[in-house]
């Protein structure tokens, strides 16, 4: 889910409930915090639910994939780029859509 989608849906909900929407910066911070909290929540659930055997199987999928060397290189380069999670998701969506 993109931050823009969440913000749009929140604004729609606020309008439907006749609640004055917050300023842009407040809205942006709220959406960012909520999305971050949701990623953490999902990560915790996955950590609790995935047993060691499943994690090993998932790791094997990555190891067997043709793109594994590129994945490793990307993992090395991405931290150096120092771009936001939102931008990472944006670029990933472009790759997913073949643009």
């Amino acid at each position: 889910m993109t931050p823009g989608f969440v913000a749009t849906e929140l604004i729609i909900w606020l309008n439907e409930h006749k609640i004055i929407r917050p300023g842009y910066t407040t809205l942006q911070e709220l959406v960012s915090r909520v999305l971050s909290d949701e990623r953490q929540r999902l990560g915790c659930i996955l950590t609790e639910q995935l047993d060691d055997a499943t994690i090993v199987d998932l790791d094997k999928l990555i190891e067997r994939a043709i793109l594994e060397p590129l994945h490793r290189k990307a993992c090395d380069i991405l931290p150096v780029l120092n771009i936001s999670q939102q931008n990472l998701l944006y670029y990933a969506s472009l790759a997913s859509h073949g643009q």
Side-chain angles (χ1 to χ4, degrees):
M1 198 172 296
T2 66
F5 175 79
V6 173
T8 300
E9 291 298 312
L10 177 57
I11 289 170
I12 291 169
W13 186 87
L14 291 170
N15 288 337
E16 288 173 353
H17 291 84
K18 298 182 181 2
I19 299 171
I20 297 173
R21 69 178 170 197
Y24 178 79
T25 302
T26 302
L27 188 64
Q28 187 178 32
E29 290 171 356
L30 177 65
V31 169
S32 292
R33 188 176 64 236
V34 167
L35 289 176
S36 177
D37 290 349
E38 180 64 0
R39 278 191 297 273
Q40 288 178 349
R41 184 187 75 81
L42 294 173
C44 288
I45 291 170
L46 289 173
T47 299
E48 292 171 2
Q49 296 295 315
L50 295 176
D51 57 22
D52 291 341
T54 304
I55 292 170
V56 168
D57 288 343
L58 289 170
D59 286 341
K60 286 180 185 175
L61 283 175
I62 293 172
E63 290 170 10
R64 285 195 304 263
I66 293 172
L67 297 177
E68 194 272 338
L70 293 175
H71 177 261
R72 269 189 282 129
K73 191 64 173 177
C75 287
D76 292 338
I77 293 172
L78 287 173
V80 177
L81 294 176
N82 196 28
I83 58 176
S84 69
Q85 182 70 26
Q86 179 179 352
N87 280 334
L88 288 173
L89 294 172
Y90 170 73
Y91 291 125
S93 73
L94 291 180
S96 295
H97 296 296
Q99 297 179 355

